[in-house]
Amino acid sequence: QDAAVRTMMEARRVAVVGASPRPGSLGSRLVAGLAGSPSRPELHLVNPRYDHIDGLRCVPSLAEVPAPVDLVALAVGDASLEAQLDLAAARGDRSAVIFSSAFGDGRRQRLAATAARAGMALCGAGCMGFVNPVAGLRVVGYVEPDPLPAGPVALVTHSGSAFSALLRADRRIGWSLAVSSGQELVTSTADYLDYALRTGRTGVVALLLETLRDAARLRAVLSAATRAGVPSVVLAVGSSGPAREMVEAHSGALAGGDAAWEAICEATGAMRVRDLAEMADTLELLCAGRRPRARSDGSAGRIASVHDSGAERAHLVDVADRVGVDFARISPTTSRRLTEVLDDGLEAANPLDVWGTGSDATSCFAESLVALAGDPDTDLTLLCVDLVPEVGRDDSYEEAVADAWVRTDTPMAVLTNLPSAMDRVATRRLRDRGIPVLEGTESGLRAARHVLGFDPARRPAAVQAPAVDPERAGRWRSALGRGAPPGAAGGFSLLADYGIGSPRAHHAASEREAVAVGDEIGYPVVLKTDEPGIAHKSDVGGVVVGIANRAQLATAYREMSERLGPPTVVMGTAPPGVELLVGMVRDPLVGPLLVVGAGGVDAELRADRRVTLPPVSRSSARGLVDGLDVRPLLDGYRGRPAADLEALLDAVVGFATLVAELGEVLEAVEVNPLRCGPGGVLALDVLVIPRRPPRQD
């Protein structure tokens, strides 16, 4: 597809099938856009109703266009699509754009097959086309900004409405490519991004996606972008729809319906945003071109902020805490510089309330911004004012930030609290000077968090899949391939083969066997049901802990076997520690997902987890663990000893290796809890759900 996509994006000879002179029609807008393209492509118009359109010759059939063209724009209805694409493919035309929805039984599949056989790139169906400012080509059938501002952002969106909204947004965002890709019958988001990155003109990626297509290649392209220092901003709407089997494990419920998106962003370093407002703020901040310096300790950067309101300063602190943005700890030198410019009674602190008497506001705000921007702990400086139209058109804030902007090369932006109150004239002047204006407290702070957290250095070369142990993998593939769950004891054996230990555990199917196992292990012991089909043992009273002797074990076994069935497992008791969860669940679009989270019976309620795609390196395993809310507990809490973090990382990497080797024969596997203490980690329970063997008809 690479050559065909490039030919489509830079087409020099274009045929418009369905060209029209009728104002406002798709065929008319296409012709106008192509004719006005800076690259001046050679146009061939096709419509049996006309001899000429806008002074250009028009032929009745694509068959009469001499020689193959680079691109065929199909401005025709669904009923005509297949015949026209068949003809284009037979002629050797290199690519096509399908604007209509291609409804009809099997029509989309037939169109895709035709293009794929011919090696054609295909934009759509159900798309709005594309604009390539770098190549000077407009293949868009709708009224969009012309010219489209050139810049670093490559946009691919499944939504035509969002395509228009983003291109028309009154923001300082410039584009290297803008594609409304629609249904992506052949050419995928990854294909467009690969092209955009190869041009060398793309510095930011923006995606608005409804579903995942060609997930493996998308992951590879996004990872390559991150390693090249190109940030990716992803707005994923809808969900990939996890399989029903996922719900049997806590991990499935924890992963949720959008786990695939989260996993791809986690694995590739892409920035995941929640809505268009956050996307626009993030893109504008990135388009300003200033990047925070990388911190030597690998931590995310910190902000400094300047305010004209004590209440709004407090509000910003509240929102920053909620979204996870930290404030710089300014130095005594910076504090002294601030004291020199502040009115008496104002505290030289970060965040900084500058408003006192209001005299010489321009100088006071400018000097405060410069001082904070120059502090060694500051990575991004914000002027947090509402930008409301001032009496007498006072431009103090505008001039202050403009002065500060040219006196420092560190990231800086204006952040407004209420977009509807903004003075659009002042905002435009700021943006014309290259200064980003973030439109909303939360969306702006989330944008700041994304930019501050982007560090390609923390993304090493692509994680290589671990070397497969053929004997181990073959043994377990054979055992799991039969489709029957292995039971707890078998599950613990599986974990042990991948370096994850557990207390001694043996299966017992009778009172006599249970007591014999307890005597061998040594008391106290734990008794758990091992009845097939019981995924969550605690929910049905299938776990008894602290069994001190053989008499208690016999009694516990009799009661449990009468209620739940004779299969049980008798285990030794683990020392205390922090309980985590590691699990794998299968997503129907991307395959195995790896979940690391807070464990225990309330794991789903706490919903404290991170999701990624295997394979997992040791550094990425550390990132998963560090991202958990319970992470501070591992360092020791209120006199409790710290857990062995290195042993935990060994367990996560070992589990990821299990998933890499056996993921194709598993629907889910979960260790919950994985108890982490000073002496290492132990799996206290395991659930294994093999994939069902294919039906033999």
Side-chain angles (χ1 to χ4, degrees), residues 62-80:
L62 183 61
E64 298 188 33
V65 174
V69 296
D70 297 328
L71 173 65
V72 179
L74 293 171
V76 299
D78 289 349
S80 303

Side-chain angles (χ1 to χ4, degrees), residues 71-135:
L71 173 65
V72 179
L74 293 171
V76 299
D78 289 349
S80 303
L81 282 177
E82 290 181 71
Q84 296 299 327
L85 190 66
D86 286 346
L87 178 55
R91 284 169 35 87
D93 297 328
R94 297 295 308 279
S95 66
V97 180
I98 297 178
F99 294 91
S100 68
S101 297
F103 285 126
D105 186 26
R107 177 171 285 138
R108 293 172 183 170
Q109 291 82 358
R110 292 191 296 274
L111 290 168
T114 296
R117 283 195 301 270
M120 298 176 70
L122 186 63
C123 184
C127 72
M128 296 178 70
F130 64 88
V131 182
N132 188 344
V134 173

Side-chain angles (χ1 to χ4, degrees), residues 260-285:
W261 297 115
E262 182 177 345
I264 284 180
C265 290
E266 173 68 38
T268 62
M271 306 170 183
R272 189 176 179 197
V273 297
R274 304 167 308 150
D275 52 35
L276 284 169
E278 186 180 336
M279 171 173 265
D281 275 353
T282 305
L283 292 177
E284 183 167 350
L285 191 54

Side-chain angles (χ1 to χ4, degrees), residues 197-210:
L197 292 168
R198 288 176 186 272
T199 66
R201 301 288 291 275
T202 294
V204 180
V205 166
L207 305 180
L208 193 157
L209 306 179
E210 298 175 21

Side-chain angles (χ1 to χ4, degrees), residues 421-456:
M422 291 168 53
D423 182 341
R424 288 292 169 182
V425 175
T427 300
R428 172 48 51 198
R429 288 199 300 260
L430 285 169
R431 286 172 170 154
D432 286 345
R433 289 173 162 180
I435 302 168
V437 180
L438 310 180
E439 299 189 7
T441 311
E442 182 156 343
S443 63
L445 283 172
R446 287 185 180 275
R449 187 194 67 190
H450 292 311
V451 174
L452 291 170
F454 181 74
D455 182 5

Side-chain angles (χ1 to χ4, degrees), residues 67 98 153 165 206 233 252 271 274 325 335 341 383 394 411 441 487 504 546 564 680:
I98 297 178
V153 180
V233 182
M271 306 170 183
R274 304 167 308 150
V325 174
S335 295
V341 300
L383 173 60
D394 182 1
T441 311
R504 293 182 62 190
L564 303 176

